[in-house]
């Protein structure tokens, strides 16, 4: 197989959510001397872009988006160890979590998977995350972006609390904050001092991508 | 009309005197404020009592609770309780599966680890489901209904439909999405077993004293997309509706998410009541659009909690009037509080409930005219 054929097959395997083929084509890419980073960018990420387009047009739904992301994770397990030291597919770092008192994980997990596919390093703090844990993660990991999710109304004020603590600790200036979750609105996001509101996972990820493209604040 | 008569009139497609305004009993604080609210016209909906019991003769269920962080001084503290993890292991002759739960904000159990973690777990989950037996056990229900009297109604909350249970209780959304594409056979087999078992439950329910049955499906079209909804949920609802309608029961489904992409499909279902329907900004279908799309079904609308967030009572009054305007003339329509509107023990919470109830009782006379 020609190198381009392998890359196209890798792309198609992602779009078809064919885990076995993703693994096989990732191995074959390495065997044929395709640099790992190229296989990721010109194979799998192209596939994820097509999946994203199909999602936007309504041909694919969230289940397909998640499964395609998981298929890409399989390929990454094979390819990532072969990325050269001076190369990196990381486009940015984001700390992510569902706020304290809230155990919902679906929305956050979808965002995590899409961000990973897009090339972000994601530090997922999980669910029911106390404000202090967000602060520590931001202080230690120095991400460019913090993402918070709340799925029930009574936990929404926790987002305000975290932002207040970040300000108090002088950590907000170098950070962009995005919030989301079913009861959250754009108006609320602005009221509490967040920089953006992700009305859905794709919108949220696109905002994060735009931020890293534009550079740090 | 008495509170019970008012909501039952709407559920039976009859004319109420006012648009009913209801609240789950679990969301209403006890005491003087509660009495005031009931006297003002807020109708109770009791969903916490069942009409059936469950046995699993061949499956042993072991429960372990993590009490490590549980200080004796915190024993009445909800926050302390929220930090506890409950681990449940299902011991069966074909192997074991385990799940972990935490208490969520309203002290309902919420899964943080699901029983199906590997493809091998499907067989065990199937065994557990297949072993489940439902039997009529309605003494408590009948007693509670008598005590409730005319202050509200009993609504029997039934478990999520098989697909929604698989998604939210058995495997979580990530595994659900992956297995749906990669382990189709196991997925379908489990669904078939689950569906058969749940229909047995509805046969028990149909023979019970419950008049109103609300299936707690938490439908959200973003998560349960139209393809899944049409293939799995709709045929199941059809079977449930047939079983319940044969015995004169009212059948509702809790649909509290974004429903725009399911609008046309919901119209085709046999459900009588769309309960927990949540308009924007949380949902994505307006009351007006919902009423136009789902004619003949009762729209039991939830007051979107976001509208009550960090806001004054004037805004809440304004939003309530807005809901009434959209619902006019108000046939087949009820307003309910089905999610938390903030800290249940705060004075503001009671004030919110009073404002909503007062506004409905002032402007919600049926048929609603100019508001």
């Amino acid at each position: 197989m020609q190198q381009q054929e392998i890359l196209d097959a890798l792309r198609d395997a992602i779009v078809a959510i064919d885990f076995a083929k993703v693994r096989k084509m990732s191995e074959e890419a390495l065997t044929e001397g395709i640099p790992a980073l190229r296989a990721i960018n010109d194979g799998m990420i192209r596939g994820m872009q097509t999946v994203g387009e199909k999602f936007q047009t309504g041909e694919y739904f969230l289940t397909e988006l998640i499964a395609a992301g998981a298929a890409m994770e399989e390929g990454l397990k094979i390819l990532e160890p072969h990325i050269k030291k001076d190369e990196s597919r990381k486009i940015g770092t984001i700390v992510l979590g569902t706020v304290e008192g809230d155990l919902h994980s679906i929305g956050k997990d979808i965002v995590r998977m899409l961000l990973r596919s897009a090339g972000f390093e994601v530090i997922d703090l999980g669910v029911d995350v106390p404000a202090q844990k967000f602060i520590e993660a931001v202080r230690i990991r120095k991400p460019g972006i913090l993402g918070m999710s709340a799925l029930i109304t009574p936990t929404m004020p926790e987002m305000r609390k975290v932002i207040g603590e970040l300000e108090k600790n002088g950590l907000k200036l170098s950070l962009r904050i995005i919030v989301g979750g079913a009861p959250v609105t754009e108006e609320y996001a602005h009221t509490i001092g967040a920089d953006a509101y992700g009305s859905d996972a794709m919108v949220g990820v696109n905002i994060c991508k735009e931020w890293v493209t534009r550079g740090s604040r | 009309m008495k509170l019970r008569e008012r909501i039952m009139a709407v559920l039976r497609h009859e004319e109420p005197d006012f648009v009913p305004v209801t609240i789950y009993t679990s969301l209403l604080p006890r005491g003087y404020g509660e009495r005031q609210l009931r006297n003002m016209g807020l109708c109770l909906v009791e969903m916490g009592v069942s009409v059936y019991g469950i046995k699993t003769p061949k499956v042993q269920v072991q429960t372990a609770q993590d009490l490590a962080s549980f200080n004796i001084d915190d024993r009445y503290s909800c926050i302390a309780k929220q930090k506890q993890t409950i681990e449940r292991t299902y011991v069966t002759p074909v192997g074991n599966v385990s799940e972990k739960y935490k208490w969520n904000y309203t002290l309902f159990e919420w899964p943080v680890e699901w029983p199906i973690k590997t493809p091998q777990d499907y067989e065990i989950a199937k065994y557990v489901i297949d072993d489940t037996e439902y039997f009529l056990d309605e003494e408590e229900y009948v007693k509670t209904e008598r005590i409730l009297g005319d202050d509200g109604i009993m609504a029997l909350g039934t478990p999520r439909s098989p697909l929604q249970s698989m998604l939210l209780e058995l495997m979580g959304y990530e595994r659900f999405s992956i297995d749906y594409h990669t382990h189709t056979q196991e997925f379908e087999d489990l669904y078939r077993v689950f569906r058969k078992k749940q229909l047995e439950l509805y046969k028990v329910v149909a023979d019970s004293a419950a008049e109103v049955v609300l299936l707690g499906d938490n439908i959200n079209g973003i998560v349960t997309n139209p393809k899944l909804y049409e293939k799995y949920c709709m045929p199941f609802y059809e079977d449930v509706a047939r079983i319940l309608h044969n015995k004169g029961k009212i059948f509702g489904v809790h649909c509290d998410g974004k429903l725009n992409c399911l609008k046309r499909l919901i119209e085709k279902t046999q459900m009588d009541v769309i309960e927990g329907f949540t308009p924007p900004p949380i949902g994505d279908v307006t009351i007006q659009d919902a009423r136009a799309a789902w004619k003949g079904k009762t729209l039991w609308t939830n007051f979107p909690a976001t509208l009550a967030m960090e806001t004054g009572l004037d805004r809440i009054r304004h939003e309530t009037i807005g809901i009434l305007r959209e619902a006019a003339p108000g046939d087949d329509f009820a307003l309910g509080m089905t999610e938390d509107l903030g800290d249940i023990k705060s004075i503001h919470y009671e004030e919110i409930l009073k404002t909503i109830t007062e506004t409905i009782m002032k402007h919600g006379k049926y048929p609603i005219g100019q508001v």
Side-chain angles (χ1 to χ4, degrees):
Chain A
M1 252 177 142
Q2 298 285 321
Q3 288 199 348
Q4 191 54 49
E5 281 174 337
I6 293 170
L7 293 172
D8 288 347
L10 198 46
R11 176 203 59 197
D12 295 344
I14 293 284
V15 177
I17 313 170
D18 186 338
F19 282 63
K21 200 166 178 195
V22 169
R23 282 191 291 265
K24 186 171 172 244
M25 286 299 123
S26 298
E27 301 278 9
E28 208 160 318
L30 294 175
T31 311
E32 291 301 316
I34 299 174
L37 196 59
R38 185 169 171 225
I40 293 169
N41 289 335
D42 296 347
M44 294 201 295
I45 288 185
R46 270 204 305 151
M48 280 308 288
Q49 278 163 355
T50 307
V51 170
E53 283 159 21
K54 284 176 181 283
F55 179 75
Q56 300 286 16
T57 59
E59 187 182 339
Y60 273 11
F61 297 103
L62 266 184
T63 49
E64 282 83 8
L65 208 58
I66 298 230
M72 179 165 165
E73 292 279 341
E74 288 292 297
L76 287 175
K77 276 184 213 160
I78 296 163
L79 294 168
E80 267 186 338
H82 298 273
I83 294 176
K84 289 178 186 157
K85 276 185 184 152
D86 57 343
E87 294 177 328
S88 172
R89 65 175 292 266
K90 191 173 104 176
I91 62 167
T93 303
I94 178 164
V95 164
L96 202 62
T98 304
V99 295
E100 184 164 24
D102 203 326
L103 299 167
H104 291 79
S105 62
I106 293 178
K108 172 189 66 65
D109 291 347
I110 293 164
V111 171
R112 184 198 65 218
M113 193 168 265
L114 293 178
L115 285 167
R116 277 270 301 152
S117 305
F120 281 90
E121 181 192 5
V122 184
I123 299 145
D124 184 356
L125 303 179
V127 297
D128 192 19
V129 181
Q132 203 47 42
K133 200 170 167 188
F134 278 112
I135 307 304
E136 276 163 34
V138 169
R139 197 195 311 271
I140 295 162
R141 305 300 294 266
K142 298 185 172 44
I145 304 169
L146 169 68
M148 287 186 284
S149 164
L151 263 292
I152 46 176
T153 320
T155 63
M156 282 164 61
E158 277 297 311
M159 294 174 159
R160 186 197 286 277
K161 186 175 162 189
V162 173
I163 294 172
E165 288 295 314
L166 287 167
E167 269 171 352
K168 225 187 280 174
N169 286 274
L171 295 167
K172 190 171 178 275
L173 283 175
S174 55
L175 194 66
R176 282 192 168 104
I177 300 167
I178 181 164
V179 294
V184 181
T185 60
E186 182 131 37
E187 185 192 348
Y188 187 75
H190 290 142
T191 308
I192 62 172
D195 298 294
Y197 157 68
S199 56
D200 66 39
M202 284 295 277
V203 170
V205 171
N206 286 336
I207 290 169
C208 293
K209 277 158 73 175
E210 202 187 306
W211 279 344
V212 292
T213 311
R214 271 198 272 146
S216 61
R217 58 190 309 151
Chain B
M1 269 180 163
K2 290 173 179 164
L3 303 185
R4 178 186 154 78
E5 288 170 342
R6 187 174 293 147
I7 183 67
M8 286 310 293
V10 168
L11 295 175
R12 290 183 184 128
H13 308 295
E14 295 162 5
E15 292 186 2
D17 54 350
F18 280 85
V19 164
V21 53
T22 68
I23 187 165
Y24 291 165
T25 51
S26 59
L27 296 177
L28 187 61
R30 294 289 172 269
Y32 180 65
E34 174 207 5
R35 190 161 69 239
Q36 279 184 313
L37 281 160
R38 282 188 281 120
N39 290 343
M40 284 168 75
L42 185 61
C43 172
L44 302 176
V45 178
E46 176 57 81
M47 290 187 64
V49 189
S50 185
V51 295
Y52 62 90
I54 301 173
K55 348 181 237 207
T56 51
K58 287 180 258 168
V59 175
Q60 197 195 339
V61 186
Q62 296 172 345
T63 305
Q65 202 154 346
D66 160 33
L67 295 171
S69 61
F70 196 59
N71 186 310
I72 190 74
D73 297 330
D74 290 338
R75 70 192 136 169
Y76 300 117
S77 156
C78 295
I79 297 294
K81 197 171 182 185
Q82 275 173 28
K83 300 296 174 198
Q84 293 172 62
T85 305
I86 305 147
E87 183 168 3
R88 208 171 285 139
T89 305
Y90 298 85
V91 180
T92 84
V94 295
N96 304 344
V97 285
S98 64
E99 61 191 3
K100 282 186 183 165
Y101 278 83
K102 277 188 160 189
W103 300 97
N104 79 359
Y105 189 86
T106 41
L107 299 184
F108 283 108
E109 285 183 0
W110 192 262
V112 289
E113 198 180 298
W114 293 268
I116 297 180
K117 300 174 184 73
T118 68
Q120 291 72 41
D121 293 334
Y122 276 87
E123 278 308 309
I124 307 167
K126 260 163 56 182
Y127 190 93
V128 175
I129 292 164
D130 199 38
D131 186 50
T132 305
E133 291 175 12
Y134 300 106
F135 57 92
L136 195 64
D137 180 8
E138 56 183 353
E139 200 183 318
E140 196 62 31
Y141 187 93
V142 173
K143 272 192 215 164
T144 312
E145 187 164 40
R146 186 183 53 75
I147 292 166
L148 190 60
D150 289 323
D151 272 9
I153 60 161
M154 301 291 287
L156 177 70
T158 52
R160 293 190 178 99
S161 64
L163 186 88
Q164 291 295 97
S165 293
M166 282 167 67
L167 194 164
L168 294 163
E169 290 147 23
L170 290 190
M171 52 183 84
Y173 197 58
E174 202 168 325
R175 173 149 292 284
F176 175 93
S177 302
I178 296 166
D179 286 4
Y180 177 67
H181 290 96
T182 59
H183 290 86
T184 314
Q185 192 59 50
E186 291 94 331
F187 188 99
E188 293 294 338
D189 283 352
L190 177 64
Y191 178 78
R192 208 183 50 246
V193 170
F194 213 161
R195 182 171 193 267
K196 181 173 168 277
K197 185 55 67 179
Q198 277 214 3
L199 291 176
E200 288 174 19
L201 164 66
Y202 284 96
K203 284 172 191 155
V204 173
V205 168
D207 287 331
S208 77
E211 266 184 282
V212 180
V213 179
L214 297 179
L215 196 165
D217 236 4
N218 297 101
I219 289 296
N220 182 342
I222 306 296
V223 176
T224 307
N225 63 54
K227 227 164 44 179
L228 293 170
Y229 190 80
E230 190 166 21
K231 183 175 174 190
Y232 299 99
C233 299
M234 287 174 72
F236 182 74
Y237 293 161
E238 201 173 322
D239 286 342
V240 172
R242 195 180 52 249
I243 293 168
L244 295 179
H245 288 162
N246 276 343
K247 297 288 175 95
K249 313 289 183 196
I250 295 165
F251 170 46
V253 179
H254 187 77
C255 306
D256 58 342
K258 296 188 191 298
L259 303 175
N260 196 36
C261 62
L262 302 177
K263 210 162 63 178
R264 293 291 152 228
L265 296 175
I266 290 172
E267 182 190 356
K268 293 180 194 164
T269 64
Q270 303 301 309
M271 65 176 88
D272 307 304
V273 184
I274 298 158
E275 195 265 345
F277 165 76
T278 305
I282 296 179
D284 60 354
V285 178
T286 63
I287 293 171
Q288 219 167 9
D289 284 350
R291 285 179 54 79
W294 303 323
K295 284 193 166 61
K297 299 186 194 306
T298 300
L299 194 66
W300 199 343
T301 299
N302 170 43
F303 187 91
T306 306
L307 298 178
M309 274 298 295
E310 300 183 12
T311 189
L313 298 178
D314 279 346
R315 164 111 189 253
I316 288 167
R317 195 172 294 113
H318 174 79
E319 297 291 353
T320 310
I321 287 172
I323 287 172
L324 286 174
R325 278 199 185 116
E326 277 199 79
D331 50 307
D332 289 338
F333 184 83
L335 182 67
M337 261 63 80
T338 67
E339 60 177 326
D340 310 87
L341 295 169
D343 178 3
I344 192 166
K345 289 195 176 128
S346 71
I347 297 286
H348 188 58
Y349 185 90
E350 259 181 44
E351 293 301 322
I352 292 170
L353 296 180
K354 279 180 188 163
T355 304
I356 294 169
T357 309
E358 200 176 65
T359 310
I360 296 285
M361 298 316 290
K362 188 173 173 191
H363 301 286
K365 187 165 170 48
Y366 178 83
I368 302 165
Q370 288 283 325
V371 182

